[in-house]
Every structure is written in structure tokens, then in C-alpha cells.
Amino acid sequence: MISFKKALTRYLIPLAAAGVIAPAMAQPTTHKLKTRSKKTEPHAINQTAAPALPASAASAPAASRKTVAPADNTESINVTALRGGSVAAALDEQRRGSGVASVMSREQIEQAPETNLSDILTRLPGVSAYSDMASGQAATGEAQYMTIRGLDSSYNAYMLNGERIAPADPSTRAISFDMLAPYGITSIKVSKSTTADMDGDAIGGAIDIRTPTAFDFVGPYQKITLQGQLNDKAAQIGTQDLGGTAQVEFARRFGRDGRFGVYATGYYSSKGVLADAVAPNTSYTPTLLSQAGVTSLNQASQLSTQQLKYDLFSSSLKRYGGSLSLNYKGDNQELYFLGTYGQYNVNINDNQVSLRGANSGYGSDGVYQSATATRGQYFETDDSAQLLTTQKLGGTTRTGDWTVNYDVFNSYGVQSSPNQVEASMYGNTIVNGPFTFDVANTTLPRAVASSAALSRLYDQNTDRFWKTQGRDSRSTADMFGIHAGAAYRFHSDILKSIVFGFKVSDTQRQAWHHPYFHDDNNFVYDGPFFGGENWAYNNAAGPVVGAVPGRNVNAFGGAAGDFRLLDRDWIKNTTVPYKYQNDPNGAGDYTKNDWNANTSRGSERIYAAFVELNLQAGPVDIHPGFRYEYTDFSGAHWKSNGDDATGSFIDVKQSYGTPLPYLNINWRPTDLSVLRFSVRRSLTRPAFGLINGATSLTLDSLTNRIISVSEPNPNLRPTTATVFDFSGELYNHHSGVVSASVYYKQIQKFVFTSVSGTSNSSTLGGNVPTNAYTNNGTEYQMPMNGGGATLEGIELNAQQTLYFLPGWLGGFGVNGNITLQHSVADSNIAGHPNTALPRAPEMMYNLGVFYNRGPVHFDLNYNYIGPQLLSVNSTLPDFYLQPTQRLDLSMKYRFGWGLTGTLAMQNLLNTPAYWETMGKGKAYLAYDGSANGAFVQTGRTYLAGLTGQF
């Protein structure tokens, strides 16, 4: 039996191409509909109601996005064509849509100073972005994942040109926006109330990124952009601080009456960033002896830690890729091929100094302290290579009262961490104290002791190079699908059209994580593999830290003492050439279990069908619809037999059907105003890696104590929700809009990360290093289905050019939006039943001032995202992400001759990129065993560029 993928590639794509090319060649050459194109902002748009097309038609090339009903003898359609990518076109699409949405235009994207798409999108109402520190991503200064109205990024649907993007990250349904550069994009639509012809797994909403076609431009188009940038924190320390961008765009229409079009763009971008980060390196303990017996740290008035860690992350980022659009546009036939390619590579060096108290307890004064302390040094590469390609071949055919659209699509995503190496350096110097670790200044905690003790503790040459570990990891998602829909137009006063269709997708998933050595054990420098001894950490045979290639820098105001940035190539060369080899007297012999222990694979097929009616009653249009989605998932992951050598793959299966009703109602009292109401059902499927995978561990490199354990949960069920939206929007002829929205989401079986101090399993599984052990400080993390949850909020948005001001002042404009919301969730955790939803801030807002008159343009924008719950803890205070705040400035000057100069500054206020705390307040940095850094700063970035449009 031939596979779904082979059938798609061998038969469906060629047949679809042949079936649409033949009728295209036979199309008449005269145009029955004339449009008038303007470069200036349009005034009123007068268009009689037309039946809605399926979403794939609305997300096709820009020339196809216009919803034009078949010709009729009794109705006329007057269309004012809008320049593709303009603010006016974006607002017009937003106004005409059947649901609540925000559309960002090409103009707005190009005016933003950010060089990554996720930070740009946070300017839209109700949209926020975030990164975490599990792989050091927040240390790049860029956000990675998007949320809509405060729901976690996995609750959204992500599309490129109307079809889904394959989620390569096994731990989430979200898409890494690292792979999506803000170049070659004509618009981005964020749908907050979806319709039956859109994918149903969008509790938060849907994000559709559209690339240009030749029909988005007036005449031939070519553009070259050059830009340079500087990160000030990297410049201060002396790591890579410069970067730049080059982009070329080209668009042409050709053939009879300009019916054929080609658009192509290519880009290359690089940047260097430095981040400093601090965090506790072990769990907290009540500071006062009188509170030592509390059952939860919430009950203690003051807390202490006995270890601190200081990290410098130096990052080198590169993005390159492009897109291609080929189009044919006839009177009744449109064809297109859309392709994109994006590559994102980042090399991150994490240099860490740790100050580690020992022999800790309560002193005679009843205060927690450490009698002695030692110093440690650590190095890790957190490199990431990500790839995303998409292809879509399809068309739209109109005949009589029928409009039919069809496409086949493929999306392929890769996330990998090649040659990840970590190194540990310790010594035999024990410094007598006593020591306390002052965390009162949460942004820079310090060790407190006598000056002589601190001087000895800070000496880097008390540590020697001891051992390394390494691993390779990679995950892929390969999605193929077919999608077709049809709209039939009725000639009646009430029932305007019916839309129906189907979609089938098949995603093949693979993920693996190979440790370099048996059980991910230590590879000792000059150890047994090389004929030496299996040196202990306090008797290492490697060079002292000061003799390891690298250089000393001044960091953390001296709080970490000597700080040396080590040479990554030297460290990798101690380890990478020997990976996957036997080390019988050291790490051990490499086994089948070592290679397979973190390997999983799976297949997910989704079958969907939908139908939607489009009704019109005077100024009211009504869109009832129904969608049914059936999910069939099968996967397998490796399970060890417990003998540390062998194992087998075990199967995981899930299948379920989900009915999804929809209702969207719009009252349009005037051409420039609309009141909307919608109610719908939606779902979110559990991520691949949350139900099918191996247990992962994080260890203390000195003691082999297991710091954290993360386990999948094959019993996770999909989250479902009923979503209500009500909104009002008022537009004007000067790119102005005022809107207000109220929403309510009733969620069942939401997914959250449960963190506990008690083992959920007697067998850890995976690669458990020799002599590893757990204690009461070990964190156990597992995704869980909670009970019910509700999210309710209000969203206000306004944008207006101040055209009524006299003279040059009329070039000013203002924009602002605010989202206020509240969530309550039942966690099903004993003693902690009620919680907020993870990643659901109670407040988000943007404030902006812009100017656009003559050759001058500037844009000043302030973005605020409130505190967010990260994890629910059973015995500790919950972990929170503190507010993120950012002020950005962009200035442009048009010199003439098609040349425009740009100056921009990011993060003018030098606010932290990431700030994780234990508890909702700022008193205590979080101790997160799976990440380095709880308070992370990346500094400011300055940009200068020149664009030539010819």
C-alpha cells in the first residue's frame, strides 16, 4: 500500500498542476473588472456584500485574496484596489473580515527596528512574546514564541500563506519564530475569532504570515537593503558585537495583460549579543532556625541559598533564506506556487562561575550559613540550528456561481543542537568562612564573608580542568497535506452562499538525543581513555583555569571574582573527536541503550471537513459553521530494560474526534463601523514530546546529584475550550481605528508543568549517569492535564494620524492598545487547587508615537507585558516571569533617488530580557535546575541602514 506522502508527491501534485494549467491557458484575455490603484491612502471603500471564500483562497497570493463574487446581472461591485502591504490595505482587510482580527502591514513591519519577527508582532493588541533559558535562548535578546491574549504559544495555530507550519520542537505545538525573519513579508494576520474553514486547534487564535507576490506592487519593483548593528554590552566586554543585514527583492509582471507574475527575495543577517545572568544554584532554605520546620517555603518570612552562579552568554546569530512566488491571474482562473526557505543558526558560549557553600546549617545566632565554600567554573555550548521550508501549489477557479480553491502543501522543520559540549572545572581548595549568600539585591546577589576569605574564593586558579560531557540532538517534522474548498453563491436576499471543503494532513516526527559517552557519564581530561587515572573532581589533571586558552574580563562588578571566557574550540577538541567511543575504565562502553534512550518517532494524521453558511439581513452578516477534526496519532519511544545496556521501542497511540461548531455575527451600520459577536469550540492537541519521549535529567556536575527530572506523560489529553468574543470597531479615512473587545474562554483539561519534590517514578529511565542520586532538593517535572480554567479579558486599541493639526504637525500620529485579563484554573494538585493559567499576564499594553511627513519618519514604541506564571509547584512558591518592558526607536529619512536611510535603537531603557522569580514578587530569583540564569540582561542594540528602491 502506497504511503500518504508518496501519493501526495507522485500523483496529487502533478494532477493538480495539470488540472489547473490546462484551463488557465484557455482563459479569455479581456478583463471584466477594472480596478483603480493608488499609492496614497484610500478614502471610502464601497463594496456590496460578497460570499466568503474558504480560508485558503483568502490566504492565497495577494491578487487572489480579494473576495470577488461571480458576476451577476442584478448586482455590481465597486472595488478600490489598495497597494499591497500598506497600512490602509491592512486596516481594510481587518474591517471587512468576518471575525475579530489584527493585521500588520509590510509598512509597519519595515518601520519597526527589531530584527526578529516575534518582537515586532508584540505591537499588536493582545499579542506577546517570550523566550526561556532552558537552552539559553533568552540570552540572545530575542523572543522566540508568541502568545495571543495571554494563552501559552502552544494554543495557537501558525500558518505561512494560509497553510500550517510544521512544529519541529517536540516539546510544544508552538513555532519557533527564530526561523521567521521580518524580510519579504507583505502582511501578518492575527485572528482572534476563527471560522469553520480554518484549522480548529486555535484556542488562542491563529497567526498567518503572508509573503508578497508581483501583484502586490505597482509596476516593476526592485529593492536593496543594507544594515549594520552594534550590541553595546558585547562591545563593553569585547565579544562579537557587530552584525548586519543584506536583502534583495525583485518583482515583475509579464505576459499578455500582465497576467503572470514573479516575486523573489533573499536575505542574510548576522548579529552578536552578550548577556549576563545570575541565579541561585540550589534550592532555598528558611533563613531563621525558628522557621526551619515549615512544610512549605511559602510559610517562611525569609529565605537563604547556599550557592550562586554567574553566567556570561556570548551569542553569534545568523539568518538567511528567501521566498519565491509564481502567479497566474486570469479572469476566472488563478494559479500560484509559493515557496519559502529560512535557516537560523546560533552559536552560544555559556561561561559560568559558581560559588558553592558547604557544611551549611544554622549558626549560634540562628541564621542559616555555610561554614566553608568552594569555587567552580563551567562552560557549555548551547548552539542551535533551525530550518523551515514551505511549499504551496494551488489555485482558484470561478465558473458561474461556483468558486473553487485547492492546494497541496508541504512544510518541513528541523531543530538541532549539534556538538553540545559542557566542561567542568573544580579544585581541592576549601575556603573557611562562615559564608552567607545575600540575595537581597535580586539582580546581583553576592557571597558575604571576610575580605580574605572572598579573595581566596574568587581565585580562578584554585580550579583545574576536570571533565567534559557532550551530546547531539535533532528533531524534525515533515508535514504534507491537501486542502480543497468550494463556495456556491445563491441569488437570494438572505442566504448568500455556502462554503464547504476538507483538509487532510500527515506529519512525520522524529527526535533523538545522543549522549557522547555511556550513560552520559563524565569524560575525564587525561583520564582512563588516554591511559590516565579516573581523576576525582578535587584532584583533576587538567590545566588551571588561568592556563586554559581564553581571556579574562571584568564582569558582575567583581561579585564573581576572576572571570575567564574560555576558548570554545579548545574545549570542543578535548571531547568531540572521541564521541560515541568506548571508555571501559572511565565512562564505560557505549551501548545500544545509550544510542536509543532518547529517541522517539511518530505520525500524526488529521482529517478535517467543514461547512459554513453566509447569511445577510440588511447590515447584518451571519456566518454559522461546523467543522469536524479527527486526529490519529501513533508513536514509539525507547524504553530501557533496566540493565543499562538494552531496551526496546514501545508504542504510544491516541485517536479522537472533535466536533467544532462556530457562529460569527457582524453588524455593519456604516461602511466604516462594525460590531461583532462570535462563539466557537476549539481544541489544542498535546505536543509530540509531551506524550511520547524519554525522561531527561539535569545533574550537578560536581556531585552527580540529580537536580531535575523531566518526564513525558502519555496519558495527556487534548485541551478543549468554548470561546466567546464581542467587539466594536470604528474606522476613518485617515488610517485611523478605534476598537474595543471583550472575550471569555472556558477551557477544559488545560496542560501545565507540575513541579514537585517527590519522585513520580521509581525508575528514572533514559540515560542515568553512574552514581547519580536524588534527594529532597530534586525537582520532578511532568506535563499534566488540569481541570477547568477560565480566561476573561478586555482589549482596547486606537490608532490615528493627527492630520487635523496645522502644517508639519499634521505628520504626527499616535497608537496604543491595552489588554486586561484574568484567569482562574483548577490544577488538580492537592493543596494547590487554584492557580492562574501559565503564560497569561493580567496586563499587556503598547504606547506609540510616530511621525510621517515629507522625507521624515520616526516611530517610538513602548511595550509592556505583565507577570506570567511559569510553573505550578507543590511545596514551593510558584515560578513567575517578571514584567518585560521595552522602549524602541526607529528613524528614517528619504533622500530621494529611491534612497532611504535608517537609524534605530532597541531596548533604550536597558531593561532585562528575562527575569524569573520564585513567587509573584521580586524578592527571590527562581532556582530552576533545568536552566542557567534567572535574571538576564542583554543591553541595547543600535542599527543603521540604507535602502535603495528602483
Side-chain angles (χ1 to χ4, degrees):
M1 182 177 179
I2 191 165
S3 71
F4 179 82
K5 177 177 176 180
K6 289 181 179 178
L8 187 63
T9 54
R10 292 184 183 178
Y11 303 114
L12 292 177
I13 291 179
L15 285 174
V20 297
I21 290 175
M25 296 293 94
Q27 293 300 315
T29 58
T30 58
H31 288 279
K32 296 181 181 178
L33 177 66
K34 294 183 179 180
T35 63
R36 178 168 53 89
S37 178
K38 287 187 175 184
K39 286 190 176 181
T40 57
E41 295 173 358
H43 288 269
I45 299 174
N46 181 20
Q47 181 171 323
T48 58
L53 289 178
S56 57
S59 301
S64 303
R65 294 187 193 123
K66 204 181 301 172
T67 303
V68 181
D72 185 281
N73 292 330
T74 61
E75 297 187 40
S76 63
I77 301 174
N78 299 316
V79 178
T80 299
L82 301 177
R83 179 166 53 93
S86 67
V87 175
L91 288 176
D92 187 58
E93 178 184 359
Q94 185 174 302
R95 178 185 64 86
R96 290 188 294 110
S98 59
V100 180
S102 299
V103 182
M104 177 173 280
S105 70
R106 175 188 176 102
E107 287 182 2
Q108 293 167 305
I109 294 170
E110 291 180 344
Q111 289 165 6
E114 293 85 359
T115 55
N116 68 311
L117 199 56
S118 52
D119 284 326
I120 294 174
L121 281 174
T122 60
R123 298 181 174 216
L124 293 175
V127 178
S128 59
Y130 69 91
S131 289
D132 58 43
M133 285 298 294
S135 58
Q137 178 61 35
T140 66
E142 296 184 348
Q144 185 177 14
Y145 295 109
M146 305 302 305
T147 70
I148 301 175
R149 289 177 169 171
L151 280 176
D152 184 82
S153 54
S154 60
Y155 288 90
N156 305 326
Y158 302 88
M159 297 171 287
L160 236 171
N161 293 314
E163 293 298 357
R164 291 299 287 266
I165 302 173
D169 187 342
S171 65
T172 179
R173 288 275 176 178
I175 296 300
S176 169
F177 273 69
D178 290 336
M179 300 176 289
L180 300 169
Y183 314 115
I185 295 174
T186 194
S187 67
I188 302 172
K189 182 177 182 179
V190 179
S191 299
K192 299 165 185 176
S193 61
T194 58
T195 53
D197 54 347
M198 301 173 68
D199 288 336
D201 54 338
I203 293 176
I207 299 176
D208 187 14
I209 302 165
R210 292 86 164 265
T211 58
T213 76
F215 294 93
D216 286 321
F217 304 97
V218 179
Y221 179 83
Q222 47 275 324
K223 181 179 177 182
I224 299 174
T225 300
L226 299 173
Q227 185 185 77
Q229 60 181 289
L230 168 73
N231 176 252
D232 66 348
K233 187 170 282 291
Q236 294 166 9
I237 296 294
T239 58
Q240 179 188 340
D241 55 359
L242 297 176
T245 298
Q247 185 204 5
V248 178
E249 285 185 282
F250 170 88
R252 285 288 189 280
R253 292 172 64 178
F254 58 93
R256 184 180 300 177
D257 299 326
R259 295 188 174 215
F260 293 88
V262 58
Y263 168 86
T265 186
Y267 62 87
Y268 177 88
S269 176
S270 68
K271 64 189 292 188
V273 178
L274 184 95
D276 57 44
V278 295
N281 199 34
T282 190
S283 57
Y284 287 95
T285 300
T287 301
L288 303 177
L289 176 62
S290 60
Q291 299 176 345
V294 297
T295 58
S296 170
L297 292 182
N298 286 305
Q299 301 168 356
S301 61
Q302 188 176 348
L303 301 175
S304 295
T305 185
Q306 57 178 329
Q307 294 186 24
L308 298 173
K309 55 184 176 182
Y310 305 83
D311 293 77
L312 284 183
F313 294 85
S314 54
S315 304
S316 174
L317 295 83
K318 294 181 180 178
R319 288 185 175 91
Y320 54 89
S323 66
L324 173 68
S325 301
L326 304 175
N327 304 84
Y328 167 80
K329 183 177 184 233
D331 293 324
N332 297 308
Q333 179 73 64
E334 299 178 13
L335 304 172
Y336 55 84
F337 170 79
L338 308 174
T340 66
Y341 176 93
Q343 179 79 45
Y344 170 85
N345 296 328
V346 58
N347 291 340
I348 301 178
N349 299 331
D350 177 10
N351 285 270
Q352 179 189 106
V353 169
S354 61
L355 307 179
R356 315 166 72 93
N359 299 315
S360 302
Y362 293 95
S364 58
D365 57 358
V367 175
Y368 194 78
Q369 61 185 21
S370 299
T372 61
T374 59
R375 181 190 187 278
Q377 187 139 342
Y378 175 84
F379 176 91
E380 182 178 17
T381 62
D382 272 323
D383 300 350
S384 177
Q386 302 179 33
L387 169 69
L388 176 65
T389 67
T390 66
Q391 301 85 39
K392 180 180 178 182
L393 173 66
T396 301
T397 300
R398 289 178 284 271
T399 176
D401 291 321
W402 286 94
T403 301
V404 182
N405 68 87
Y406 33 83
D407 64 82
V408 289
F409 60 93
N410 167 245
S411 178
Y412 178 68
V414 179
Q415 282 194 311
S416 62
S417 295
N419 292 326
Q420 181 188 11
V421 175
E422 58 182 273
S424 301
M425 290 140 274
Y426 298 105
N428 58 6
T429 300
I430 298 176
V431 183
N432 292 320
F435 291 88
T436 58
F437 295 87
D438 183 7
V439 295
N441 180 359
T442 55
T443 63
L444 187 58
R446 290 176 176 268
V448 178
S450 67
S451 58
L454 290 176
S455 177
R456 186 62 174 152
L457 183 65
Y458 289 159
D459 184 1
Q460 65 183 357
N461 288 326
T462 60
D463 294 331
R464 289 183 173 272
F465 196 91
W466 172 40
K467 58 88 177 178
T468 58
Q469 292 167 280
R471 53 201 66 89
D472 291 318
S473 63
R474 178 183 172 95
S475 63
T476 63
D478 196 2
M479 176 188 293
F480 282 79
I482 183 169
H483 182 198
Y488 180 78
R489 179 176 181 178
F490 295 94
H491 300 273
S492 70
D493 294 334
I494 302 297
L495 179 59
K496 294 299 182 180
S497 67
I498 183 173
V499 180
F500 56 92
F502 73 92
K503 181 176 181 179
V504 180
S505 66
D506 181 8
T507 305
Q508 300 295 318
R509 302 296 304 267
Q510 290 187 338
W512 49 259
H513 178 97
H514 301 322
Y516 278 5
F517 308 107
H518 173 61
D519 277 347
D520 204 16
N521 283 332
N522 298 334
F523 187 64
V524 177
Y525 185 89
D526 198 22
F529 186 89
F530 303 99
E533 297 183 25
N534 196 359
W535 307 103
Y537 77 92
N538 57 0
N539 190 29
V544 296
V545 170
V548 174
R551 62 188 182 88
N552 288 351
V553 297
N554 183 16
F556 301 104
D562 297 338
F563 207 106
R564 187 169 183 82
L565 300 181
L566 305 179
D567 184 275
R568 69 179 270 139
D569 291 334
W570 184 89
I571 292 178
K572 290 179 71 173
N573 286 336
T574 67
T575 309
V576 175
Y578 314 106
K579 63 181 181 180
Y580 309 138
Q581 297 188 40
N582 293 330
D583 184 14
N585 297 316
D589 288 338
Y590 207 80
T591 68
K592 185 178 182 180
N593 188 66
D594 293 318
W595 183 258
N596 290 318
N598 301 295
T599 300
S600 57
R601 56 178 180 260
S603 173
E604 182 179 71
R605 288 188 182 181
I606 300 173
Y607 305 87
F610 66 89
V611 61
E612 182 176 271
L613 298 178
N614 296 295
L615 310 173
Q616 188 80 38
V620 178
D621 53 275
I622 307 169
H623 310 272
F626 181 81
R627 185 180 185 92
Y628 185 82
E629 294 193 353
Y630 182 80
T631 305
D632 185 12
F633 173 82
S634 61
H637 64 269
W638 183 264
K639 182 174 179 60
S640 173
N641 288 333
D643 59 4
D644 205 27
T646 63
S648 60
F649 283 97
I650 61 173
D651 294 331
V652 175
K653 292 182 180 293
Q654 283 192 1
S655 60
Y656 44 88
T658 311
L660 303 170
Y662 294 79
L663 177 62
N664 286 274
I665 302 174
N666 301 286
W667 177 43
R668 306 176 190 272
T670 69
D671 286 341
L672 298 176
S673 60
V674 57
L675 289 174
R676 308 183 192 273
F677 170 79
S678 75
V679 58
R680 60 187 173 95
R681 285 286 291 173
S682 188
L683 82 155
T684 293
R685 301 174 181 90
F688 170 71
L690 299 186
I691 59 176
N692 181 45
T695 299
S696 61
L697 312 176
T698 303
L699 277 77
D700 185 301
S701 57
L702 174 60
T703 64
N704 250 15
R705 179 180 66 86
I706 297 175
I707 297 173
S708 66
V709 179
S710 180
E711 297 179 295
N713 183 356
N715 297 316
L716 275 183
R717 302 304 296 168
T719 300
T720 57
T722 302
V723 182
F724 298 86
D725 280 277
F726 179 78
S727 72
E729 303 162 16
L730 180 63
Y731 299 82
N732 63 35
H733 299 311
H734 302 275
S735 296
V737 60
V738 177
S739 65
S741 300
V742 178
Y743 55 91
Y744 177 81
K745 300 177 190 284
Q746 191 174 55
I747 303 170
Q748 298 83 38
K749 297 181 180 179
F750 72 97
V751 176
F752 68 98
T753 300
S754 173
V755 180
S756 68
T758 305
S759 173
N760 350 69
S761 173
S762 59
T763 303
L764 294 177
N767 293 112
V768 183
T770 305
N771 298 323
Y773 68 95
T774 63
N775 66 6
N776 290 333
T778 301
E779 292 181 349
Y780 293 84
Q781 303 178 7
M782 176 181 284
M784 302 285 289
N785 280 116
T790 59
L791 176 69
E792 55 194 11
I794 182 170
E795 190 174 274
L796 306 175
N797 176 50
Q799 172 184 309
Q800 183 61 62
T801 56
L802 306 182
Y803 64 93
F804 47 82
L805 294 179
W808 61 272
L809 293 175
F812 278 101
V814 294
N815 58 69
N817 56 71
I818 184 169
T819 301
L820 302 171
Q821 61 186 17
H822 177 69
S823 65
V824 177
D826 180 4
S827 69
N828 286 339
I829 294 179
H832 197 333
N834 294 322
T835 180
L837 280 170
R839 295 285 182 189
E842 294 185 345
M843 177 186 291
M844 299 172 280
Y845 65 85
N846 285 280
L847 295 173
V849 177
F850 59 89
Y851 184 86
N852 194 6
R853 175 65 61 92
V856 178
H857 173 86
F858 81 79
D859 184 275
L860 182 68
N861 189 81
Y862 178 78
N863 174 256
Y864 173 91
I865 302 171
Q868 303 172 54
L869 174 67
L870 295 183
S871 63
V872 179
N873 303 331
S874 59
T875 59
L876 305 173
D878 296 338
F879 289 175
Y880 282 84
L881 185 65
Q882 289 299 313
T884 56
Q885 307 167 67
R886 187 157 157 162
L887 180 65
D888 295 331
L889 173 65
S890 175
M891 299 176 289
K892 292 188 176 183
Y893 187 85
R894 293 180 283 274
F895 296 105
W897 312 288
L899 296 177
T900 301
T902 301
L903 291 175
M905 289 162 277
Q906 300 175 13
N907 195 21
L908 287 173
L909 301 180
N910 197 28
T911 51
Y914 186 84
W915 190 353
E916 183 181 359
T917 59
M918 187 176 69
K920 197 169 185 178
K922 300 178 180 179
Y924 298 103
L925 293 177
Y927 163 60
D928 186 346
S930 62
N932 290 330
F935 183 83
V936 183
Q937 291 184 297
T938 56
R940 303 177 180 89
T941 299
Y942 305 92
L943 305 95
L946 185 66
T947 297
Q949 182 175 324
F950 312 101

